[in-house]
Amino acid sequence: MGTRVPDKALAEAAVKAGLRKLLPRRVGRGDIANGLEALLGYAWLEETLTLDEIVGCLKTEALAPANNFAKLAQLALSKLEK
């Protein structure tokens, strides 16, 4: 069973990963978080990210969960650009 990740953490991760600059200028925190979720969902459906890669990024112990999601988003962006 999973837990809900707050929009604030996901939006912070999107900014750290560089995803924010790819989104329209006037969007709120919830839309930024949804953009990050959409990126990760798309990468999963396209089989760009493996479950091992996702778990590897998210299980790392970091002080802020946003850092783990930023690392995962950066991995997804780099693999999708190829």
Side-chain angles (χ1 to χ4, degrees):
M1 175 182 260
T3 60
R4 185 181 182 287
V5 180
D7 284 350
K8 182 177 181 179
L10 293 176
E12 183 181 334
V15 171
K16 288 181 179 186
L19 179 63
R20 177 64 185 99
K21 65 184 175 192
L22 301 174
L23 298 172
R25 288 182 63 203
R26 294 185 159 257
V27 292
R29 182 187 303 162
D31 291 329
I32 296 169
N34 290 342
L36 177 64
E37 291 173 335
L39 168 71
L40 297 178
Y42 179 76
W44 170 256
L45 291 173
E46 290 295 312
E47 298 179 358
T48 304
L49 291 176
T50 65
L51 185 57
D52 288 337
E53 290 171 324
I54 294 169
V55 170
C57 287
L58 297 181
K59 78 174 186 177
T60 307
E61 300 223 5
L63 294 176
N67 293 337
N68 295 347
F69 279 97
K71 181 179 173 184
L72 180 57
Q74 288 169 336
L75 178 62
L77 284 170
S78 69
K79 290 182 117 189
L80 287 169
E81 288 177 346
K82 293 179 183 179

